[in-house]
Amino acid sequence: MTIYKKLLVVVLVMLVVVSLVGCGGGQKAQQSQDQSQPADTKHGGTLQDALGADPPGLDVQQNSMLETYYMARLLFSTLVRYKGGTTDLEPELLAEMPTVSSDGLTYHFKLKPDLKFSDGTPLTSKDVKFTFERMLKPETKAINQWVFDPIKGAKDMEDGKATELAGFKILNDQEFEITLEAPYAPFIQNLAVPCASIYPAEATQKAGEEWTLNPIGSGPYKIAEWVHDDHITLERNTNYFEKDLPYIDKIQMRIIEDEATMTMEFENGNIDILPIPDSEYPRLASDPNFSKMIVENTPLNTYFYVMNENVKYFQDVRVRKAIAMAIDKDKILKELLNNRGVVAKGLLGPGIPGYNENNPGFPYDPEQAKKLLAEAGYPNGFEVENWQAKSETFYKRNVAIQAMLKQVGIDMKINQMDSASWRQSRNNGKVPIYLANWWADIPDPDNYMYNILHSTQTPGWSINYKNPKVDELIEKARVSTDMNERIKMYQEAEKIAIYDDVSIIPLFHIKEYYIVQPYVKDVQFHPTGIGSYNYRTMWLEKK
């Protein structure tokens, strides 16, 4: 999801999202709860929450910012979801997990009976088909088509050669079949990603371009009010399909861009749950009262540095390697992240199949970096501009890296842009150099390797890297049904892309810490980190 990170990204990408994704497949810790409480004592109340930025829109097909994904888990539902804080899938809109043909190509789905969207209209197979096809149509300008790419006929729709999805067959209002072009092991996991949320066909088409500002879903909540750059108020969806859920009546999502202000609001009792900013963690962790409210989560994520290979300096692998050796990852982790994480030695991180803890990493060696720059023809370094979306957290990290690059002769200017302009520039392959991150959509190596390093995807990251051998390995791994073989191929592709070609520079995998008011119960973190908490079962103890 590219994407920006919650809180941490602090465009926060979601600050409150942050997430969320549990590295080893689930959360490290969660708020305890007395499960013996009768359900009626759990109902009611308003949760005071916050976002680090006003979402530009809530159409998860067109926007993968974490703020948008965060809201999606409240407003929409997917066919399957992760169970509790684990990476085990369970049905959400489905009555049962789909059955798969022996050749791994055809999936049979059956929806729960009597499903409704928040406006009361029925949710049927036609809405699922509409959702899939809308994502794939060129006019939608979707950026998350990868979730449905494996389906037969998806490519024809994306290319404008077809108006219907050949691999989607409606059997009746509750049942449908999906046929893939080739076996694809993580396909069911793709259907749990927020961008696979099911939309109502009629309401979406009627709303047109206004859909992104006032969408209708089948999730536990619906929008009651949205005052841009101030707050979003959500209220219980009375048509929600899970009996007695959600427990909390309303969620007041305040828009607060400044980390210090958000933390102060928590301390004053005006916010109930909060991802702890890097700068505030030491103080809160050492406070005898607040330290008791801290909960740790280990999400699936990787932070890395991008060097656009369309920029002349970065076309030489020696320059890219020099930058990798000029960045002191341990120092950043210690001084800016308060050791909340581990240094990354590859794109795949802990908790993802294929993670290789024996990768060598790039040692901090500024003298060797200078030699490499000289060999590449830049003995005195060069000037380059870092383009980054406005984010206090990212700015601090970029300033640290700026100082490190200065020591080897590279003068990196930092240009902070508004999120929309930056994202457009990045998607168009124009950003020269920047700090990036990826929070796993699904706990599968393909989610990293294909979406970041395959040549069809790198232009949208402004990486512009292409290696036919890497593409071949990733493509073969995608269709293999043998996980051990898949892992071997992904690891080989990672070795080539990271260590031979230095296509990106892995930096770190972060842990997240949240601070939770003691009256907020049953806080469960999403296992991938995209979507933060499970609001469906969270409840408020009566004050």
Side-chain angles (χ1 to χ4, degrees):
M1 37 103 120
T2 168
I3 20 205
Y4 263 25
K5 200 271 113 163
K6 311 158 164 241
L7 190 240
L8 291 172
V9 114
V10 133
V11 190
L12 237 129
V13 157
M14 226 60 289
L15 233 207
V16 80
V17 27
V18 229
S19 234
L20 317 190
V21 162
C23 236
Q27 69 206 61
K28 278 268 183 168
Q30 72 180 48
Q31 218 39 13
S32 62
Q33 165 194 0
D34 180 1
Q35 297 292 347
S36 65
Q37 290 274 349
D40 58 354
T41 67
K42 298 180 183 178
H43 283 104
T46 298
L47 180 76
Q48 300 294 333
D49 206 339
L51 297 176
D54 194 18
L58 298 176
D59 187 343
V60 289
Q61 295 188 350
Q62 296 179 331
N63 186 344
S64 61
M65 288 184 66
L66 292 181
E67 291 91 344
T68 300
Y69 268 24
Y70 188 63
M71 295 296 296
R73 294 207 182 276
L74 294 163
L75 300 173
F76 307 118
S77 302
T78 48
L79 296 176
V80 295
R81 68 186 176 203
Y82 291 104
K83 185 177 181 179
T86 76
T87 52
D88 297 328
L89 290 174
E90 67 177 2
E92 182 165 21
L93 292 174
L94 297 179
E96 57 195 20
M97 292 300 290
T99 57
V100 188
S101 62
S102 58
D103 61 6
L105 292 176
T106 301
Y107 293 71
H108 181 269
F109 297 83
K110 184 177 182 180
L111 296 170
K112 286 182 169 72
D114 303 319
L115 291 171
K116 293 180 180 180
F117 291 102
S118 61
D119 64 352
T121 58
L123 189 162
T124 71
S125 299
K126 292 180 181 179
D127 297 294
V128 181
K129 183 172 185 285
F130 165 80
T131 298
F132 283 41
E133 292 180 339
R134 180 181 185 269
M135 174 82 89
L136 297 169
K137 289 180 178 179
E139 55 265 34
T140 303
K141 299 179 180 179
I143 62 172
N144 293 305
Q145 295 174 330
W146 64 269
V147 295
F148 301 144
D149 272 348
I151 302 174
K152 184 178 181 180
K155 185 68 164 57
D156 285 342
M157 287 202 69
E158 292 171 9
D159 292 342
K161 297 177 181 178
T163 57
E164 285 194 85
L165 185 55
F168 196 110
K169 181 180 179 181
I170 293 179
L171 303 178
N172 54 52
D173 281 352
Q174 270 71 52
E175 296 179 85
F176 56 93
E177 287 182 349
I178 293 177
T179 301
L180 308 185
E181 289 281 3
Y184 176 59
F187 179 64
I188 294 300
Q189 295 182 76
N190 282 12
L191 304 183
V193 179
C195 58
S197 297
I198 304 305
Y199 288 177
E202 184 176 345
T204 307
Q205 291 172 308
K206 183 178 180 180
E209 293 183 358
E210 296 300 312
W211 170 256
T212 190
L213 298 177
N214 191 26
I216 294 169
S218 58
Y221 291 92
K222 61 182 180 179
I223 296 176
E225 181 182 49
W226 187 352
V227 178
H228 290 282
D229 297 315
D230 189 81
H231 70 273
I232 302 174
T233 301
L234 305 174
E235 62 184 12
R236 264 181 113 245
N237 172 14
T238 56
N239 289 307
Y240 189 53
F241 54 86
E242 292 191 279
K243 182 176 172 58
D244 293 326
L245 296 179
Y247 294 126
I248 296 172
D249 289 337
K250 288 186 177 182
I251 299 174
Q252 185 79 350
M253 203 74 77
R254 296 172 58 194
I255 313 298
I256 305 175
E257 295 186 359
D258 182 70
E259 294 178 347
T261 300
M262 187 177 288
T263 305
M264 180 181 67
E265 287 295 276
F266 179 91
E267 294 181 68
N268 291 336
N270 299 323
I271 291 178
D272 296 328
I273 185 168
L274 176 74
I276 303 177
D278 294 347
S279 59
E280 299 290 346
Y281 178 78
R283 179 177 63 84
L284 294 174
S286 61
D287 185 287
N289 294 317
F290 290 122
S291 62
K292 300 175 184 177
M293 306 179 191
I294 292 177
V295 181
E296 176 186 321
N297 183 43
T298 305
L300 304 174
N301 65 76
T302 301
Y303 283 72
F304 54 97
Y305 232 62
V306 167
M307 302 153 292
N308 191 335
E309 293 190 26
N310 282 351
V311 174
K312 68 174 184 177
Y313 308 116
F314 305 136
Q315 291 171 358
D316 193 316
V317 67
R318 292 170 295 187
V319 172
R320 302 195 297 271
K321 188 173 183 179
I323 293 176
M325 301 181 79
I327 299 175
D328 189 342
K329 277 77 73 175
D330 287 294
K331 185 175 182 180
I332 294 174
L333 195 64
K334 179 181 179 180
E335 296 185 1
L336 291 183
L337 279 76
N338 301 294
N339 287 321
R340 300 190 301 164
V342 296
V343 169
K345 296 181 179 180
L347 179 58
L348 302 178
I352 296 292
Y355 166 64
N356 188 353
E357 62 182 358
N358 295 318
N359 279 337
F362 291 100
Y364 174 58
D365 191 341
E367 292 306 314
Q368 181 62 24
K370 291 178 183 179
K371 292 179 181 178
L372 288 169
L373 288 173
E375 291 175 10
Y378 305 106
N380 300 315
F382 53 83
E383 292 184 3
V384 67
E385 193 168 271
N386 174 305
W387 296 0
Q388 200 82 55
K390 291 181 180 178
S391 159
E392 183 179 349
T393 297
F394 273 39
Y395 180 74
K396 290 177 179 177
R397 295 172 187 175
N398 274 320
V399 168
I401 292 172
Q402 178 187 51
M404 294 170 188
L405 296 185
K406 186 71 172 178
Q407 292 180 356
V408 301
I410 298 175
D411 185 7
M412 185 178 75
K413 310 295 184 184
I414 300 174
N415 176 17
Q416 291 200 92
M417 307 168 66
D418 67 86
S419 296
S421 298
W422 177 81
R423 188 166 291 273
Q424 182 177 11
S425 296
R426 190 199 67 170
N427 293 348
N428 291 336
K430 303 297 185 182
V431 177
I433 185 171
Y434 71 99
L435 172 61
N437 62 12
W438 183 257
W439 292 69
D441 295 294
I442 62 175
D444 188 274
D446 187 72
N447 189 241
Y448 287 78
M449 299 298 294
Y450 178 80
N451 288 317
I452 298 175
L453 295 180
H454 193 276
S455 63
T456 60
Q457 307 301 308
T458 61
W461 282 89
S462 286
I463 300 172
N464 289 305
Y465 166 71
K466 183 175 183 179
N467 184 317
K469 179 61 176 178
V470 170
D471 283 355
E472 179 186 5
L473 286 164
I474 292 173
E475 290 162 8
K476 287 183 177 179
R478 299 192 94 205
V479 300
S480 173
T481 57
D482 185 325
M483 179 56 86
N484 290 329
E485 289 302 312
R486 294 182 69 223
I487 286 174
K488 290 178 182 178
M489 287 185 279
Y490 284 125
Q491 288 182 336
E492 184 179 353
E494 182 183 51
K495 177 183 179 298
I496 295 170
I498 303 299
Y499 289 99
D500 294 346
D501 298 341
V502 197
S503 58
I504 60 171
I505 303 171
L507 297 178
F508 41 80
H509 311 287
I510 67 166
K511 291 183 180 180
E512 287 196 324
Y513 292 84
Y514 293 78
I515 187 163
V516 183
Q517 301 287 5
Y519 49 80
V520 180
K521 302 299 182 180
D522 197 19
V523 178
Q524 296 180 358
F525 295 98
H526 193 270
T528 67
I530 307 282
S532 286
Y533 330 112
N534 179 1
Y535 286 93
R536 294 165 33 255
T537 56
M538 193 185 300
W539 57 283
L540 303 176
E541 189 173 60
K542 302 301 185 291
K543 301 179 186 179

